[in-house]
Amino acid sequence: MKINKINSNIKCDSVLCFAPATQELITNSFKGNQYLCDHCFKEYQKLFKDNKKNNEK
C-alpha cells in the first residue's frame, strides 16, 4: 500500500464526510484507490495502530 498527497478537488471516501481529500491510498484493489481527508486519515492510522498493538499481545 502506498500513500500519496494530492491537490485535486476530490471528496473524502469516508461515510458522511464531505471534506476535500488530501491523501490517496493506493491499494492495488479492483475497487480502486481510496481518498481521505486529514481527519479521516488520522482516524484510520489510530485504528490500525490499536489493532497492531492488540495482535501483539
Side-chain angles (χ1 to χ4, degrees), residues 1 43-53:
M1 182 183 315
E43 291 296 320
Y44 273 103
Q45 278 184 327
K46 279 196 269 185
L47 288 174
F48 286 123
K49 285 181 184 177
D50 289 343
N51 190 15
K52 183 179 176 183
K53 289 178 185 176

Side-chain angles (χ1 to χ4, degrees), residues 10-54:
I10 300 174
K11 290 184 181 177
C12 182
D13 284 340
S14 295
V15 176
L16 297 176
C17 181
F18 302 107
T22 57
Q23 306 285 338
E24 176 185 22
L25 299 177
I26 301 171
T27 57
N28 295 330
S29 171
F30 68 93
K31 293 181 180 179
N33 299 337
Q34 189 172 16
Y35 299 95
L36 299 171
C37 65
D38 286 332
H39 175 71
C40 294
F41 182 71
K42 289 177 185 174
E43 291 296 320
Y44 273 103
Q45 278 184 327
K46 279 196 269 185
L47 288 174
F48 286 123
K49 285 181 184 177
D50 289 343
N51 190 15
K52 183 179 176 183
K53 289 178 185 176
N54 290 338

